[in-house]
Amino acid sequence: MTGTIIKALSGFYYVDVGAEQEPITCRGRGKLRHQKITPLVGDHVAITVTEDGTGMVDEVLPRSNQFQRPMVANMDQLVILASGAIPVTDPFLIDRMVSLAEYKGCQPIICFNKCDLEPATQLVELYQKAGFQSFAISAQTGEGLEQLLGVLDGKISAFTGNSGVGKSSVLNALCPQFGLKVGQVSEKLGRGRHTTRHVELFRVGGGLVADTPGFSAFDVEQMELIPKEELANTFREFQPYLEQCRFVGCAHVKERGCAVREAVDNGAIAPSRYQSYVRLYDQVKSRPQWEK
Ligand code: GDP
Ligand code: ZN
């Protein structure tokens, strides 16, 4: 049978095999170690269940993606929580996360929390127009949470966002048990070095959600690993224009006859998104090749 690793601890893998069943506690087969395969949280695995109800991980199925910090695999979606109210999220942070998610083949979803304080209508529209699922939510009033639950259904999702944006509040509002479990986890692992590395998937409605203690920004360090030639491909609303630039290999920064810049000028691409692109391009460009 197959399942998804929701927790890995001290050589045990806890494998989710559906909402109706308790996770199965598994050991990894020796052959995985010999093949130097380390099963990760998020891995889809083939397991054999023995008579005592425990199991063995026989095989790790091919991964759709993998992140280093936290160490997880197969994230279908990255829910980027932002806020138009204090602490206001810098759009550049949103765009960095969007870019990284796109690069990793993980669907970015942009949610503006605290809509009871600030509806962020313009930003919601900006990201919708750029081709993303984006909507306003409030952990306080519950607005938009049904829609978010729908988005999580049947998928593995990770949440990210600047501190204070309401990640814990939103997750608790989505699933009261989530808070309970988070509390239990931090009680057990609150002290010591495990805390920073521990990641676990929780069932939220019909989906699985990754929780990392402290909910640090998701892997932003890896941003610099995107090759400069591929950066424009991580901006989905640029795609229709990329082939139309006058020069092959156009970086879309200063070049004459750049169709992307033209699209910014005539309002088809949001200036803030384009500015984020230029800023990111500067960062990845100045990174020496040997560091990649
Ligand atoms: P985290 O650091 O991203 O986990 O953010 P928290 O969940 O700890 O929330 C930070 C603060 O924002 C807390 O005081 C929450 O009560 C508040 N907060 C979270 N969501 C909302 C919301 O939708 N509306 C309002 N008004 N406050 C919120
Ligand atoms: Zn161009």
Side-chain angles (χ1 to χ4, degrees), residues 241-242 245-247 250-253 255-261:
Y241 309 103
L242 296 179
C245 298
R246 187 181 302 166
F247 302 110
C250 179
H252 325 296
V253 176
E255 293 84 350
R256 274 179 305 124
C258 173
V260 172
R261 299 212 307 157

Side-chain angles (χ1 to χ4, degrees), residues 81 85-87 112-117 137-142 161-172 214-215:
L81 279 191
I86 289 174
F112 291 88
N113 189 35
K114 308 198 186 187
C115 72
D116 51 300
L117 299 176
I137 61 172
S138 168
Q140 186 97 347
T141 65
N162 51 306
S163 156
V165 81
K167 291 178 296 297
S168 320
S169 310
V170 168
L171 289 171
N172 283 337
F215 299 101

Side-chain angles (χ1 to χ4, degrees), residues 18-291:
E20 317 75 33
Q21 255 176 285
E22 282 296 305
I24 297 171
T25 305
C26 298
R27 285 255 179 213
R29 290 221 188 265
K31 81 164 196 227
L32 292 176
R33 210 171 39 247
H34 294 133
Q35 294 168 346
K36 295 199 162 51
I37 296 170
T38 307
L40 299 177
V41 168
D43 266 333
H44 302 304
V45 289
I47 62 170
T48 307
V49 183
T50 54
E51 275 177 11
D52 66 359
T54 65
M56 293 300 277
V57 175
D58 301 318
E59 192 189 343
V60 174
L61 305 181
R63 292 171 181 149
S64 63
N65 58 32
Q66 190 180 328
F67 289 84
Q68 293 305 325
R69 243 164 288 169
M71 282 268 255
V72 286
N74 300 320
M75 293 295 113
D76 297 315
Q77 317 188 117
L78 184 62
V79 178
I80 301 165
L81 279 191
S83 164
I86 289 174
V88 177
T89 309
D90 179 356
F92 181 59
L93 179 69
I94 301 176
D95 293 336
R96 268 171 77 115
M97 299 314 301
V98 167
S99 232
L100 180 67
E102 297 271 43
Y103 183 63
K104 295 270 188 176
C106 174
Q107 197 63 233
I109 317 281
I110 304 118
C111 288
F112 291 88
N113 189 35
K114 308 198 186 187
C115 72
D116 51 300
L117 299 176
E118 166 53 56
T121 316
Q122 287 184 344
L123 283 169
V124 167
E125 280 170 8
L126 187 155
Y127 285 97
Q128 282 176 348
K129 203 176 146 219
F132 299 99
Q133 266 188 283
S134 179
F135 47 93
I137 61 172
S138 168
Q140 186 97 347
T141 65
E143 196 180 331
L145 294 185
E146 277 298 313
Q147 189 174 359
L148 182 52
L149 268 182
V151 165
L152 301 179
D153 195 36
K155 300 273 168 53
I156 305 183
S157 310
F159 278 64
T160 188
N162 51 306
S163 156
V165 81
K167 291 178 296 297
S168 320
S169 310
V170 168
L171 289 171
N172 283 337
L174 285 177
C175 180
Q177 274 175 330
F178 196 93
L180 200 88
K181 280 179 179 163
V182 170
Q184 282 173 357
V185 167
S186 47
E187 220 171 87
K188 219 165 46 187
L189 297 167
R191 275 154 286 147
R193 62 201 166 84
H194 286 299
T195 336
T196 49
R197 310 217 100 189
H198 185 76
V199 58
E200 196 169 339
L201 299 180
F202 291 94
R203 282 219 157 256
V204 177
L208 291 169
V209 168
D211 158 43
T212 49
F215 299 101
S216 58
F218 205 87
D219 233 2
V220 276
E221 298 86 355
Q222 286 214 323
M223 192 62 230
E224 279 79 19
L225 298 179
I226 301 180
K228 67 176 192 300
E229 297 77 20
E230 282 190 44
L231 187 64
N233 293 326
T234 69
F235 282 72
R236 60 173 74 171
E237 73 274 42
F238 292 11
Q239 301 319 299
Y241 309 103
L242 296 179
E243 301 286 295
Q244 294 174 25
C245 298
R246 187 181 302 166
F247 302 110
V248 180
C250 179
H252 325 296
V253 176
K254 292 193 190 79
E255 293 84 350
R256 274 179 305 124
C258 173
V260 172
R261 299 212 307 157
E262 235 162 67
V264 178
D265 289 342
N266 66 31
I269 292 175
S272 71
R273 290 275 295 160
Y274 179 68
Q275 282 154 19
S276 293
Y277 169 77
V278 173
R279 242 172 110 178
L280 285 173
Y281 188 84
D282 271 350
Q283 287 180 5
V284 295
K285 173 187 78 175
S286 56
R287 188 127 178 133
Q289 198 60 41
W290 53 264
E291 273 189 58

